[in-house]
mmCIF file of all heavy atoms in Angstrom:
data_model
loop_
_atom_site.group_PDB
_atom_site.id
_atom_site.type_symbol
_atom_site.label_atom_id
_atom_site.label_comp_id
_atom_site.label_asym_id
_atom_site.label_seq_id
_atom_site.Cartn_x
_atom_site.Cartn_y
_atom_site.Cartn_z
ATOM 1 N N MET A 559 5.937 -5.029 -1.357
ATOM 2 C CA MET A 559 7.349 -4.787 -1.116
ATOM 3 C C MET A 559 7.612 -3.635 -0.156
ATOM 4 O O MET A 559 8.628 -3.614 0.525
ATOM 5 C CB MET A 559 8.074 -4.515 -2.442
ATOM 6 C CG MET A 559 8.165 -5.725 -3.341
ATOM 7 S SD MET A 559 9.177 -7.049 -2.621
ATOM 8 C CE MET A 559 8.009 -8.422 -2.702
ATOM 9 N N TYR A 560 6.689 -2.659 -0.104
ATOM 10 C CA TYR A 560 6.914 -1.514 0.777
ATOM 11 C C TYR A 560 5.575 -0.990 1.276
ATOM 12 O O TYR A 560 4.507 -1.391 0.792
ATOM 13 C CB TYR A 560 7.732 -0.420 0.075
ATOM 14 C CG TYR A 560 7.181 0.035 -1.261
ATOM 15 C CD1 TYR A 560 6.263 1.074 -1.360
ATOM 16 C CD2 TYR A 560 7.592 -0.587 -2.444
ATOM 17 C CE1 TYR A 560 5.770 1.491 -2.582
ATOM 18 C CE2 TYR A 560 7.102 -0.177 -3.681
ATOM 19 C CZ TYR A 560 6.190 0.863 -3.740
ATOM 20 O OH TYR A 560 5.695 1.260 -4.956
ATOM 21 N N HIS A 561 5.645 -0.092 2.258
ATOM 22 C CA HIS A 561 4.483 0.335 3.033
ATOM 23 C C HIS A 561 3.301 0.777 2.176
ATOM 24 O O HIS A 561 2.211 0.184 2.223
ATOM 25 C CB HIS A 561 4.917 1.472 3.969
ATOM 26 C CG HIS A 561 3.862 1.951 4.899
ATOM 27 N ND1 HIS A 561 2.859 2.814 4.513
ATOM 28 C CD2 HIS A 561 3.643 1.700 6.214
ATOM 29 C CE1 HIS A 561 2.082 3.073 5.547
ATOM 30 N NE2 HIS A 561 2.526 2.410 6.597
ATOM 31 N N ASP A 562 3.481 1.806 1.362
ATOM 32 C CA ASP A 562 2.343 2.365 0.641
ATOM 33 C C ASP A 562 1.861 1.464 -0.486
ATOM 34 O O ASP A 562 0.694 1.557 -0.887
ATOM 35 C CB ASP A 562 2.691 3.750 0.088
ATOM 36 C CG ASP A 562 2.717 4.812 1.179
ATOM 37 O OD1 ASP A 562 2.668 4.441 2.369
ATOM 38 O OD2 ASP A 562 2.793 6.010 0.845
ATOM 39 N N GLN A 563 2.724 0.606 -0.994
ATOM 40 C CA GLN A 563 2.291 -0.331 -2.027
ATOM 41 C C GLN A 563 1.188 -1.238 -1.494
ATOM 42 O O GLN A 563 0.249 -1.581 -2.211
ATOM 43 C CB GLN A 563 3.480 -1.183 -2.497
ATOM 44 C CG GLN A 563 3.168 -2.075 -3.690
ATOM 45 C CD GLN A 563 4.363 -2.924 -4.105
ATOM 46 O OE1 GLN A 563 4.863 -3.731 -3.327
ATOM 47 N NE2 GLN A 563 4.824 -2.719 -5.332
ATOM 48 N N GLY A 564 1.286 -1.603 -0.209
ATOM 49 C CA GLY A 564 0.259 -2.443 0.405
ATOM 50 C C GLY A 564 -0.865 -1.672 1.046
ATOM 51 O O GLY A 564 -2.033 -2.054 0.962
ATOM 52 N N HIS A 565 -0.530 -0.563 1.700
ATOM 53 C CA HIS A 565 -1.532 0.179 2.458
ATOM 54 C C HIS A 565 -2.542 0.890 1.564
ATOM 55 O O HIS A 565 -3.720 0.984 1.911
ATOM 56 C CB HIS A 565 -0.857 1.203 3.372
ATOM 57 C CG HIS A 565 -0.399 0.644 4.675
ATOM 58 N ND1 HIS A 565 0.528 -0.374 4.758
ATOM 59 C CD2 HIS A 565 -0.730 0.954 5.952
ATOM 60 C CE1 HIS A 565 0.740 -0.658 6.024
ATOM 61 N NE2 HIS A 565 -0.006 0.118 6.776
ATOM 62 N N GLY A 566 -2.073 1.435 0.439
ATOM 63 C CA GLY A 566 -2.976 2.197 -0.417
ATOM 64 C C GLY A 566 -4.184 1.397 -0.873
ATOM 65 O O GLY A 566 -5.338 1.808 -0.634
ATOM 66 N N PRO A 567 -3.984 0.242 -1.496
ATOM 67 C CA PRO A 567 -5.139 -0.548 -1.939
ATOM 68 C C PRO A 567 -6.027 -1.000 -0.779
ATOM 69 O O PRO A 567 -7.256 -1.020 -0.904
ATOM 70 C CB PRO A 567 -4.497 -1.748 -2.638
ATOM 71 C CG PRO A 567 -3.158 -1.256 -3.068
ATOM 72 C CD PRO A 567 -2.719 -0.306 -2.003
ATOM 73 N N VAL A 568 -5.409 -1.356 0.360
ATOM 74 C CA VAL A 568 -6.208 -1.816 1.494
ATOM 75 C C VAL A 568 -7.141 -0.710 1.982
ATOM 76 O O VAL A 568 -8.311 -0.948 2.295
ATOM 77 C CB VAL A 568 -5.289 -2.303 2.636
ATOM 78 C CG1 VAL A 568 -6.068 -2.436 3.937
ATOM 79 C CG2 VAL A 568 -4.664 -3.635 2.264
ATOM 80 N N LYS A 569 -6.640 0.511 2.030
ATOM 81 C CA LYS A 569 -7.467 1.605 2.531
ATOM 82 C C LYS A 569 -8.593 1.961 1.565
ATOM 83 O O LYS A 569 -9.631 2.465 1.981
ATOM 84 C CB LYS A 569 -6.587 2.818 2.829
ATOM 85 C CG LYS A 569 -5.693 2.556 4.039
ATOM 86 C CD LYS A 569 -4.945 3.776 4.511
ATOM 87 C CE LYS A 569 -4.176 3.453 5.776
ATOM 88 N NZ LYS A 569 -3.489 4.624 6.345
ATOM 89 N N VAL A 570 -8.419 1.635 0.312
ATOM 90 C CA VAL A 570 -9.498 1.819 -0.660
ATOM 91 C C VAL A 570 -10.506 0.682 -0.558
ATOM 92 O O VAL A 570 -11.720 0.895 -0.610
ATOM 93 C CB VAL A 570 -8.939 1.913 -2.089
ATOM 94 C CG1 VAL A 570 -10.065 1.884 -3.112
ATOM 95 C CG2 VAL A 570 -8.115 3.190 -2.266
ATOM 96 N N LEU A 571 -10.012 -0.534 -0.373
ATOM 97 C CA LEU A 571 -10.869 -1.709 -0.458
ATOM 98 C C LEU A 571 -11.560 -2.080 0.850
ATOM 99 O O LEU A 571 -12.507 -2.839 0.837
ATOM 100 C CB LEU A 571 -10.051 -2.925 -0.934
ATOM 101 C CG LEU A 571 -9.575 -2.885 -2.383
ATOM 102 C CD1 LEU A 571 -8.644 -4.050 -2.667
ATOM 103 C CD2 LEU A 571 -10.769 -2.929 -3.331
ATOM 104 N N GLY A 572 -11.084 -1.539 1.991
ATOM 105 C CA GLY A 572 -11.763 -2.009 3.196
ATOM 106 C C GLY A 572 -11.245 -1.504 4.511
ATOM 107 O O GLY A 572 -11.202 -2.261 5.478
ATOM 108 N N ILE A 573 -10.834 -0.242 4.618
ATOM 109 C CA ILE A 573 -10.279 0.235 5.881
ATOM 110 C C ILE A 573 -11.299 0.205 7.013
ATOM 111 O O ILE A 573 -10.946 0.041 8.183
ATOM 112 C CB ILE A 573 -9.693 1.656 5.717
ATOM 113 C CG1 ILE A 573 -8.903 2.052 6.983
ATOM 114 C CG2 ILE A 573 -10.785 2.674 5.418
ATOM 115 C CD1 ILE A 573 -8.133 3.332 6.837
ATOM 116 N N GLU A 574 -12.597 0.326 6.691
ATOM 117 C CA GLU A 574 -13.604 0.385 7.762
ATOM 118 C C GLU A 574 -13.589 -0.876 8.615
ATOM 119 O O GLU A 574 -13.837 -0.829 9.807
ATOM 120 C CB GLU A 574 -15.008 0.595 7.172
ATOM 121 C CG GLU A 574 -15.198 1.928 6.466
ATOM 122 C CD GLU A 574 -14.769 1.891 5.015
ATOM 123 O OE1 GLU A 574 -14.283 0.836 4.553
ATOM 124 O OE2 GLU A 574 -14.919 2.921 4.334
ATOM 125 N N THR A 575 -13.316 -2.016 7.997
ATOM 126 C CA THR A 575 -13.244 -3.262 8.751
ATOM 127 C C THR A 575 -11.873 -3.897 8.611
ATOM 128 O O THR A 575 -11.715 -5.098 8.809
ATOM 129 C CB THR A 575 -14.332 -4.254 8.279
ATOM 130 O OG1 THR A 575 -14.231 -4.425 6.851
ATOM 131 C CG2 THR A 575 -15.708 -3.754 8.632
ATOM 132 N N GLY A 576 -10.874 -3.086 8.271
ATOM 133 C CA GLY A 576 -9.521 -3.603 8.130
ATOM 134 C C GLY A 576 -8.881 -3.854 9.484
ATOM 135 O O GLY A 576 -9.191 -3.205 10.482
ATOM 136 N N VAL A 577 -7.968 -4.835 9.492
ATOM 137 C CA VAL A 577 -7.274 -5.213 10.714
ATOM 138 C C VAL A 577 -5.788 -5.357 10.401
ATOM 139 O O VAL A 577 -5.409 -5.885 9.356
ATOM 140 C CB VAL A 577 -7.820 -6.547 11.281
ATOM 141 C CG1 VAL A 577 -7.001 -7.007 12.483
ATOM 142 C CG2 VAL A 577 -9.278 -6.401 11.668
ATOM 143 N N ASN A 578 -4.964 -4.896 11.320
ATOM 144 C CA ASN A 578 -3.519 -5.032 11.232
ATOM 145 C C ASN A 578 -3.099 -6.190 12.134
ATOM 146 O O ASN A 578 -3.424 -6.199 13.328
ATOM 147 C CB ASN A 578 -2.865 -3.715 11.680
ATOM 148 C CG ASN A 578 -1.361 -3.706 11.534
ATOM 149 O OD1 ASN A 578 -0.715 -4.738 11.555
ATOM 150 N ND2 ASN A 578 -0.803 -2.524 11.413
ATOM 151 N N ILE A 579 -2.387 -7.164 11.573
ATOM 152 C CA ILE A 579 -1.923 -8.327 12.336
ATOM 153 C C ILE A 579 -0.406 -8.376 12.258
ATOM 154 O O ILE A 579 0.164 -8.292 11.172
ATOM 155 C CB ILE A 579 -2.513 -9.637 11.775
ATOM 156 C CG1 ILE A 579 -4.044 -9.585 11.771
ATOM 157 C CG2 ILE A 579 -2.017 -10.842 12.572
ATOM 158 C CD1 ILE A 579 -4.696 -10.729 11.020
ATOM 159 N N THR A 580 0.251 -8.504 13.413
ATOM 160 C CA THR A 580 1.702 -8.661 13.414
ATOM 161 C C THR A 580 2.023 -10.140 13.341
ATOM 162 O O THR A 580 1.644 -10.921 14.224
ATOM 163 C CB THR A 580 2.326 -8.034 14.670
ATOM 164 O OG1 THR A 580 1.922 -6.673 14.765
ATOM 165 C CG2 THR A 580 3.839 -8.096 14.592
ATOM 166 N N VAL A 581 2.729 -10.537 12.301
ATOM 167 C CA VAL A 581 3.005 -11.948 12.022
ATOM 168 C C VAL A 581 4.460 -12.260 12.376
ATOM 169 O O VAL A 581 5.371 -11.547 11.962
ATOM 170 C CB VAL A 581 2.742 -12.260 10.536
ATOM 171 C CG1 VAL A 581 3.020 -13.716 10.236
ATOM 172 C CG2 VAL A 581 1.314 -11.898 10.157
ATOM 173 N N GLY A 582 4.661 -13.318 13.144
ATOM 174 C CA GLY A 582 5.997 -13.741 13.521
ATOM 175 C C GLY A 582 6.306 -13.547 14.994
ATOM 176 O O GLY A 582 7.355 -13.982 15.474
ATOM 177 N N LEU A 583 5.416 -12.891 15.734
ATOM 178 C CA LEU A 583 5.596 -12.717 17.172
ATOM 179 C C LEU A 583 5.294 -14.013 17.911
ATOM 180 O O LEU A 583 4.530 -14.859 17.414
ATOM 181 C CB LEU A 583 4.654 -11.632 17.700
ATOM 182 C CG LEU A 583 4.908 -10.180 17.306
ATOM 183 C CD1 LEU A 583 3.737 -9.315 17.774
ATOM 184 C CD2 LEU A 583 6.217 -9.671 17.875
ATOM 185 N N PRO A 584 5.828 -14.177 19.134
ATOM 186 C CA PRO A 584 5.438 -15.328 19.955
ATOM 187 C C PRO A 584 4.066 -15.147 20.597
ATOM 188 O O PRO A 584 3.588 -16.048 21.287
ATOM 189 C CB PRO A 584 6.539 -15.385 21.014
ATOM 190 C CG PRO A 584 7.011 -13.975 21.140
ATOM 191 C CD PRO A 584 6.901 -13.382 19.758
ATOM 192 N N VAL A 585 3.447 -13.985 20.414
ATOM 193 C CA VAL A 585 2.100 -13.714 20.913
ATOM 194 C C VAL A 585 1.241 -13.244 19.745
ATOM 195 O O VAL A 585 1.752 -12.772 18.729
ATOM 196 C CB VAL A 585 2.110 -12.650 22.032
ATOM 197 C CG1 VAL A 585 2.945 -13.122 23.219
ATOM 198 C CG2 VAL A 585 2.627 -11.309 21.522
ATOM 199 N N ILE A 586 -0.065 -13.355 19.893
ATOM 200 C CA ILE A 586 -0.993 -12.886 18.866
ATOM 201 C C ILE A 586 -1.245 -11.398 19.079
ATOM 202 O O ILE A 586 -1.532 -10.956 20.192
ATOM 203 C CB ILE A 586 -2.314 -13.668 18.934
ATOM 204 C CG1 ILE A 586 -2.079 -15.138 18.561
ATOM 205 C CG2 ILE A 586 -3.373 -13.047 18.018
ATOM 206 C CD1 ILE A 586 -3.246 -16.045 18.912
#
Side-chain angles (χ1 to χ4, degrees):
M559 291 295 126
Y560 53 89
H561 184 281
D562 285 11
Q563 187 181 61
H565 276 60
V568 165
K569 290 188 175 184
V570 171
L571 291 173
I573 190 172
E574 295 86 358
T575 53
V577 175
N578 184 334
I579 303 170
T580 305
V581 180
L583 291 172
V585 299
I586 294 166

